Amino acid sequence: MTDDAYLTLPIDVESATGLARQGLRMSLLDTDDAAAFASWLGAVGRGFQDGRATPEVVEARRVTAGQRRNSGVWDETLLDPATPVATVAGWPSQLSVPGHLSLGAWAVSAVTVSPTHRRRGVAGALIEAELRTAQALGLPVVALTVSEATIYSRWGFAPAAMAADWTIDTSRVTWTGPMVPGRVQFVEADRLVTEGAELVERVRLATPGQMSFDGVLWERLIGRGVGLEEQAKSLRFIRYADEHGVPQGFAVYKVLEETRTTVARAVVELHYLVSATDDAYAALWRFLIELDLVGEIRAPLRSIDEPVYWQVDDARAVVKHDEREHLWIRILDVPAMLTGRRYHTPGHFVLDVSDPLMYAAGRFLLTVQADGTAVVSELEGDIPGDTAAVALTVNELGSIYLGGVSASTLFRAGRIQELTPGAAAVLDRTFHAATTPWLSIWF
Ligand SMILES: CC(C)(COP(=O)(O)OP(=O)(O)OC[C@H]1O[C@@H](n2cnc3c(N)ncnc32)[C@H](O)[C@@H]1OP(=O)(O)O)[C@@H](O)C(=O)NCCC(=O)NCCS
């Protein structure tokens, strides 16, 4: 299959046929058709309760949307038959996994169903089509970020990486972390367009749970792009280079206008901070914490395990809040996923996986070798001696896969069954990821 086969693969027949029985037409969107794209994007915006995009924004989005497989569902009986009643977009991406590795993943976004057509299985038809599409493309996992945590479990998705917002009362803290030899400087956005994108990809592999950025997303994060001109005016960019002058980190922040008063309590909103080294991390956070006239840093969508908590004298001034699931994954191919990451401790495991949709169901023997690589085979018959065996659904497998969710916790919650005593704790030691999984973007 060619690299862009996903763009031309025919629409999923099973879902299209099911929807046709309800008088609905499911098909791929042709992004070369500007009017059709404008209607499709309008439906997405309406689905997420957003305002209408300007013609300039629609056109800019149309150009980038050409790289995605965009589908829609149309109801020809409506007064406005051109606007789809449901939308979805999927595209091949990369998911970082433990061991500085990355696996092909099918990213899904823009899932909307018009309020006029809700709760009659339209979203279900679209999601199941995305699963079959990902499988047809040979991708072992589907990934998404969600608006509500109650929707996607039924299709085998589960939270695999968490995120949290952090607030630091900088008026209370003194930096106690390392003083590092490199240099922080202000730079212009242009420099981040090139150096930053390369750095983001290098850093991505060090943290399980990160999806690859396309250039567009990165440019949007740094305030580039049609419709972001106003926001871009207040963004500041800082770059850390090590003692050899090599760039190792960037941060993008803005000072919230409404908080700029004479009492030196302005609020800094941290849009993004990326660091390839611990030195870069320390230097950028220290710079932000020591900003004059600033009393608070708000850092949304960060890891739930931020070293900065340990780098100031008053840890109570560093508050983590709104911890929540952020990356959801749906495993399709268990052997490909299990052999695609590295593990901590060797051993033999049996994972008895159930999956109502049957993509991942089976009894798998996982053998982790001394170098952290794994071999997986389907197990016929009984559980061999000297193995730690559990029974779990594909959801729980998705949750423990990246190493951020503990099998023991899921066992205690009644979500994983131990087939051999103490198996969950053994799984924890093997699956644990040294760097807490984290996804730093919405997609
Ligand atoms: C969420 C949304 C896509 C669901 O569309 P839908 O066509 O009504 O969903 P379906 O009829 O296919 O529902 C499938 C199942 O999910 C359940 N479900 C759907 N939306 C749900 C929600 N918001 N919360 C809880 N359950 C939900 C349905 O009850 C149904 O359950 P069942 O299979 O047990 O009967 C739609 O309500 C929507 O567009 N919401 C706004 C945009 C949004 O939040 N999109 C999700 C982006 S991550």
Side-chain angles (χ1 to χ4, degrees):
M1 227 178 263
T2 56
D3 280 356
D4 59 1
Y6 67 96
L7 293 173
T8 50
L9 202 69
I11 198 80
D12 180 75
V13 175
E14 197 172 329
S15 289
T17 310
L19 290 169
R21 272 188 228 113
Q22 295 191 41
L24 302 172
R25 176 176 61 84
M26 177 185 177
S27 65
L28 287 176
L29 174 76
D30 175 8
T31 49
D32 288 340
D33 182 338
F37 179 75
S39 298
W40 185 90
L41 192 67
V44 176
R46 195 175 62 185
F48 286 108
Q49 317 289 10
D50 292 337
R52 287 185 177 79
T54 62
E56 294 74 26
V57 169
V58 173
E59 184 51 22
R61 296 282 297 274
R62 188 177 72 81
V63 173
T64 58
Q67 291 311 305
R68 296 184 173 184
R69 182 182 162 87
N70 308 293
S71 314
V73 177
W74 283 265
D75 182 344
E76 315 290 351
T77 67
L78 290 180
L79 292 173
D80 170 18
T83 300
V85 296
T87 60
V88 64
W91 65 98
S93 183
Q94 289 279 322
L95 169 68
S96 59
V97 301
H100 279 74
L101 294 169
S102 192
L103 294 177
W106 186 244
V108 171
S109 183
V111 179
T112 70
V113 174
S114 164
T116 54
H117 288 65
R118 69 199 281 277
R119 305 304 180 266
R120 38 159 135 157
V122 177
L126 291 180
I127 297 297
E128 287 176 24
E130 293 303 310
L131 299 184
R132 285 189 287 268
T133 300
Q135 191 185 42
L137 294 165
L139 293 167
V141 64
V142 182
L144 40 76
T145 51
V146 309
S147 56
E148 291 178 83
T150 47
I151 304 173
Y152 292 97
S153 313
R154 56 177 50 77
W155 298 296
F157 288 88
M162 311 293 161
D165 301 343
W166 293 75
T167 302
I168 305 180
D169 180 346
T170 55
S171 66
R172 277 171 60 185
V173 301
T174 302
W175 180 259
T176 55
M179 303 299 223
V180 301
R183 211 169 161 202
V184 176
Q185 296 184 50
F186 284 105
V187 290
E188 290 304 317
D190 281 346
R191 190 173 283 276
L192 272 78
V193 171
T194 47
E195 286 181 7
E198 181 276 322
L199 194 84
V200 164
E201 179 57 17
R202 181 152 51 101
V203 172
R204 191 178 73 78
L205 295 177
T207 306
Q210 296 282 8
M211 300 289 286
S212 49
F213 275 41
D214 52 20
V216 176
L217 180 58
W218 174 241
E219 292 198 10
R220 221 183 293 154
L221 261 176
I222 62 177
R224 282 294 175 93
V226 181
L228 298 176
E229 297 81 2
E230 208 40 50
Q231 159 162 319
K233 283 184 193 157
S234 48
L235 291 180
R236 304 264 173 226
F237 310 104
I238 51 173
R239 166 192 190 257
Y240 171 81
D242 64 20
E243 62 273 41
H244 309 295
V246 179
Q248 301 288 6
F250 290 97
V252 181
Y253 70 92
K254 80 172 180 192
V255 177
L256 296 182
E257 185 64 32
E258 62 278 16
T259 65
R260 288 179 52 237
T261 64
T262 49
V263 286
R265 287 281 303 174
V267 171
V268 159
E269 190 176 76
L270 181 62
H271 285 212
Y272 206 77
L273 184 150
V274 61
S275 51
T277 62
D278 294 336
D279 279 3
Y281 180 91
L284 293 169
W285 272 109
R286 179 180 163 217
F287 179 95
L288 294 166
I289 283 173
E290 293 183 346
L291 277 173
D292 285 338
L293 306 181
V294 168
E296 184 176 310
I297 299 172
R298 291 181 197 157
L301 207 64
R302 299 291 309 173
S303 169
I304 57 171
D305 185 21
E306 287 286 347
V308 69
Y309 178 83
W310 302 94
Q311 294 178 316
V312 295
D313 59 344
D314 184 353
R316 287 194 183 178
V318 182
V319 179
K320 176 170 63 170
H321 52 99
D322 287 329
E323 186 169 330
R324 61 204 178 266
E325 33 60 47
H326 184 47
L327 172 73
W328 289 61
I329 64 171
R330 200 292 176 207
I331 291 179
L332 296 172
D333 182 338
V334 176
M337 291 299 281
L338 290 177
T339 54
R341 59 157 287 184
R342 297 292 173 265
Y343 299 86
H344 269 289
T345 42
H348 302 280
F349 306 89
V350 169
L351 304 171
D352 195 334
V353 183
S354 54
D355 177 1
L357 298 180
M358 296 311 287
Y359 293 97
R363 194 172 247 209
F364 300 94
L365 180 64
L366 166 70
T367 302
V368 175
Q369 298 159 127
D371 64 358
T373 59
V375 177
V376 176
S377 57
E378 287 236 26
L379 177 68
E380 309 285 343
D382 295 339
I383 297 167
D386 197 25
T387 55
V390 294
L392 71 184
T393 72
V394 63
N395 302 70
E396 278 70 46
L397 182 62
S399 285
I400 66 170
Y401 175 76
L402 291 175
V405 176
S406 141
S408 297
T409 304
L410 296 183
F411 169 64
R412 288 169 53 207
R415 306 267 301 246
I416 282 182
Q417 199 190 335
E418 286 189 338
L419 302 177
T420 57
V426 183
L427 265 189
D428 279 348
R429 287 198 288 281
T430 297
F431 274 65
H432 176 76
T435 303
T436 303
W438 170 44
L439 172 66
S440 59
I441 52 168
W442 284 97
F443 66 88

